[in-house]
Amino acid sequence: MNLVLLGPPGGGKGTQAKRLMDKYGLVQLSTGDMLRAAVASGSEVGKKAKAVMDAGQLVTDDIVIGIIQDRLKQPDTKSGVIFDGFPRTVAQAEALDAMLKSMNLTMGHAIEIRVPDEFLIERITGRFTCAKCGAGYHDKYQKPKKDGVCDSCGGTEFTRRADDNAETVKKRLDAYHAQTAPLLPYYEKQGILKVVDGTQDIGKVTADLAAILG
Ligand code: ADP
Ligand code: ADP
Ligand code: ZN
């Protein structure tokens, strides 16, 4: 089973993808994570992407489509993929449909995690991640059980994303509404769009997703 999680920056896509990955044995493909890894490694792709990401704009379709195309060649994706943060434009969605078709695969569900804009600045400015294992946290909504210690791996170093500031969030929300929201009618037409209320607490959102996935 392949599925795509849609929704605004800070809406909870990554948080839920990690939970579904464990529950259903799916692989999470986050183009945001892959692009940040490319930036950190100083690769050609990373050099091209960095300024665009810092400005809260979208990296070109060619770059992200290329990244996903390469990743889908790896055998671990056969058991099913959660696309998180990709596609983000109609052109990316069309390219993904073509890729899946050529591999004899289909998209099972496109699920919108719906969260109004007024929630998102607080979600994003409070977000932090374990530097060692990548587990995601929030200053208010998802604190580690023991202050300063990662629940998953015991790590004590955490990172915050350079683009997780109030000013850049506004630009990312503009990009979401202008370029990504058109994917909702795109998947609606395919008859695979579902919506969950992303303002509920994290466990309730997971339960609603699980009810859809079965
Ligand atoms: P996205 O991947 O869509 O950008 P994240 O999953 O990283 O979003 O979530 C953004 C921040 O909000 C994180 O700090 C996360 O811990 C927190 N968060 C995620 N889901 C919820 C929720 N349902 N309620 C409150 N906070 C949440
Ligand atoms: P969030 O879900 O919190 O907005 P992501 O980690 O998905 O953040 O993305 C971070 C940044 O990486 C985006 O603002 C954008 O610059 C770039 N990016 C990630 N995925 C894509 C994509 N599919 N197309 C274009 N740019 C992308
Ligand atoms: Zn950790």
Side-chain angles (χ1 to χ4, degrees), residues 19-86:
R19 292 172 149 231
L20 297 177
M21 197 167 73
D22 297 341
K23 199 172 154 74
Y24 293 92
L26 303 168
V27 175
Q28 172 197 17
L29 295 197
S30 157
T31 40
D33 287 347
M34 294 184 222
L35 288 167
R36 280 184 288 280
V39 169
S41 77
S43 69
E44 277 312 306
V45 163
K47 282 181 197 144
K48 282 190 199 149
K50 187 178 185 310
V52 181
M53 292 170 76
D54 285 344
Q57 292 165 347
L58 294 187
V59 173
T60 61
D61 289 336
D62 287 355
I63 289 182
V64 288
I65 290 167
I67 290 179
I68 288 287
Q69 207 149 25
D70 287 345
R71 186 64 183 82
L72 284 177
K73 287 181 187 142
Q74 292 175 31
D76 64 329
T77 61
K78 292 276 179 289
S79 51
V81 172
I82 306 171
F83 293 94
D84 161 13
F86 178 93

Side-chain angles (χ1 to χ4, degrees), residues 1 25 31 41 70 93 102 105 127 189 203 207:
M1 172 182 55
T31 40
S41 77
D70 287 345
S102 74
L105 298 170
R127 168 162 59 190
K189 273 193 208 114

Side-chain angles (χ1 to χ4, degrees), residues 16-197:
Q16 297 300 332
K18 290 210 167 60
R19 292 172 149 231
L20 297 177
M21 197 167 73
D22 297 341
K23 199 172 154 74
Y24 293 92
L26 303 168
V27 175
Q28 172 197 17
L29 295 197
S30 157
T31 40
D33 287 347
M34 294 184 222
L35 288 167
R36 280 184 288 280
V39 169
S41 77
S43 69
E44 277 312 306
V45 163
K47 282 181 197 144
K48 282 190 199 149
K50 187 178 185 310
V52 181
M53 292 170 76
D54 285 344
Q57 292 165 347
L58 294 187
V59 173
T60 61
D61 289 336
D62 287 355
I63 289 182
V64 288
I65 290 167
I67 290 179
I68 288 287
Q69 207 149 25
D70 287 345
R71 186 64 183 82
L72 284 177
K73 287 181 187 142
Q74 292 175 31
D76 64 329
T77 61
K78 292 276 179 289
S79 51
V81 172
I82 306 171
F83 293 94
D84 161 13
F86 178 93
R88 252 181 165 91
T89 64
V90 170
Q92 292 176 24
E94 287 169 348
L96 177 58
D97 280 345
M99 275 182 243
L100 291 176
K101 195 168 177 208
S102 74
M103 298 170 81
N104 270 323
L105 298 170
T106 55
M107 189 66 83
H109 305 277
I111 309 179
E112 177 193 6
I113 302 180
R114 189 174 288 170
V115 183
D117 285 10
E118 58 265 30
F119 287 77
L120 299 169
I121 302 226
E122 192 191 26
R123 287 269 188 102
I124 287 181
T125 53
R127 168 162 59 190
F128 62 99
T129 305
C130 173
K132 198 165 144 197
C133 78
Y137 293 100
H138 191 279
D139 290 327
K140 185 165 156 192
Y141 300 116
Q142 203 184 359
K143 293 191 200 170
K145 288 192 186 75
K146 185 166 186 283
D147 222 17
V149 182
C150 174
D151 297 344
S152 304
C153 76
T156 53
E157 276 184 49
F158 297 88
T159 56
R160 289 180 192 259
R161 280 166 49 179
D163 60 342
D164 276 353
N165 58 76
E167 192 195 330
T168 308
V169 173
K170 295 206 181 80
K171 305 240 172 61
R172 285 156 62 197
L173 284 172
D174 289 345
Y176 178 73
H177 292 295
Q179 292 168 276
T180 308
L183 292 179
L184 301 171
Y186 177 90
Y187 286 115
E188 171 94 77
K189 273 193 208 114
Q190 294 191 3
I192 60 168
L193 182 69
K194 314 273 170 14
V195 182
V196 303
D197 175 1

